[in-house]
Amino acid sequence: MTGVQNGFPLGPQPGVTYPIQVLYCGNCSLPIEYCEYYPEYEKCKLWLERNMPSEFERVLKLGEKEDGEGGGGEEEKKRQKRGGKGIMKARKKEDGPKQVCVSRAPRGKKKSVTVVTGLSTFDIDLKVASKFFGTKFACGSSVTGDDEIVIQGDVKDELFDIIPEKWPEIDEDSIEDLGDQKR
Ligand SMILES: [Zn+2]
C-alpha cells in the first residue's frame, strides 16, 4: 500500500487509515501539488488563497524558489494575463524535440514569404539568423515572433541546404517542411 502518495489516488483504498493528507484543488480538481502543471495555475492560486490560505502560502513559497526571481508585482500581472501559458511554453522549449520548421505563406497576389520557426530550439540567435538569411538571399528578413523569422521571398527549398551548411548542428532531417500556409 505504498504507491498511493506518488500517483493520483483513486478514492478510498482498502487497508489505508484515513484521513490521508491529500488536498484537492477546487479549481482544477487535482491534488494541489499538481496545480502548477495546470494551465490555469493562476486561478488555482486564487482558489487556494481563498479556501486554503495556509496551503496557498506553502505553494507560493515553493513556486518562488523554482522561479529564482521572487515574482514582482508587475511580472506577476503579466503572467496572469497570459493565463499561465508562459510556464508551459518554457517547459516545452527545454524538453521538446529540437526541430526547425519552414513553410511558405502568401503575401499579396503573387508574392510569397518563407516562415522559419524552431531555430531557437538549437540555441541560435534569431537576430543573427535573420540577418544571415537577408544577406544570403538578398531580401528582407525579420524576426517576427518568439521563435519565428519571416523571409521576404520564396526560399523554402533553398533553406534545406543553407541551414545545415550554416549551422552544422541542424541536420537536414531536423527541418520539417510544413508546405504552404493557407490564407
Ligand atoms: Zn489547481
Side-chain angles (χ1 to χ4, degrees):
M1 289 304 155
T2 52
V4 173
Q5 283 105 323
N6 298 327
F8 289 87
L10 301 167
Q13 305 289 313
V16 179
T17 315
Y18 286 88
I20 320 179
Q21 277 301 303
V22 179
L23 298 168
Y24 292 92
C25 170
N27 181 56
C28 67
S29 76
L30 296 175
I32 57 174
E33 295 95 292
Y34 296 94
C35 283
E36 62 170 307
Y37 303 109
Y38 191 69
E40 293 182 4
Y41 181 39
E42 295 300 334
K43 280 189 192 166
C44 292
K45 283 206 270 190
L46 287 178
W47 184 89
L48 273 178
E49 188 176 20
R50 227 171 279 144
N51 297 279
M52 299 181 185
S54 59
E55 287 303 314
F56 171 71
E57 270 177 36
R58 194 176 64 89
V59 169
L60 206 67
K61 269 176 199 156
L62 287 175
E64 279 178 11
K65 230 183 255 173
E66 257 177 29
D67 277 348
E69 51 185 70
E74 271 306 301
E75 191 63 27
E76 200 62 27
K77 263 182 212 160
K78 269 184 211 160
R79 265 187 226 162
Q80 280 180 9
K81 265 184 201 161
R82 293 192 312 211
K85 269 181 192 163
I87 299 167
M88 304 296 276
K89 210 170 187 179
R91 279 176 206 277
K92 202 177 167 192
K93 226 177 216 175
E94 276 169 29
D95 303 333
K98 291 184 172 184
Q99 187 172 54
V100 175
C101 296
V102 296
S103 59
R104 189 166 28 220
R107 286 289 186 279
K109 274 182 186 162
K110 288 177 185 173
K111 284 183 182 171
S112 296
V113 300
T114 306
V115 183
V116 185
T117 59
L119 283 170
S120 72
T121 63
F122 288 89
D123 288 329
I124 288 163
D125 188 322
L126 291 187
K127 280 184 199 157
V128 173
S130 170
K131 206 171 174 190
F132 166 75
F133 292 138
T135 310
K136 191 82 185 174
F137 300 118
C139 65
S141 173
S142 50
V143 180
T144 51
D146 221 12
D147 188 2
E148 185 184 88
I149 292 174
V150 170
I151 305 166
Q152 302 296 319
D154 180 7
V155 296
K156 185 164 66 73
D157 297 336
E158 283 96 314
L159 289 174
F160 288 90
D161 296 321
I162 281 163
I163 289 177
E165 198 180 299
K166 167 78 175 171
W167 297 283
E169 68 267 37
I170 305 180
D171 192 82
E172 199 185 320
D173 296 334
S174 316
I175 306 173
E176 166 121 346
D177 188 345
L178 298 179
D180 290 281
Q181 282 181 24
K182 298 241 170 66
R183 205 183 274 271

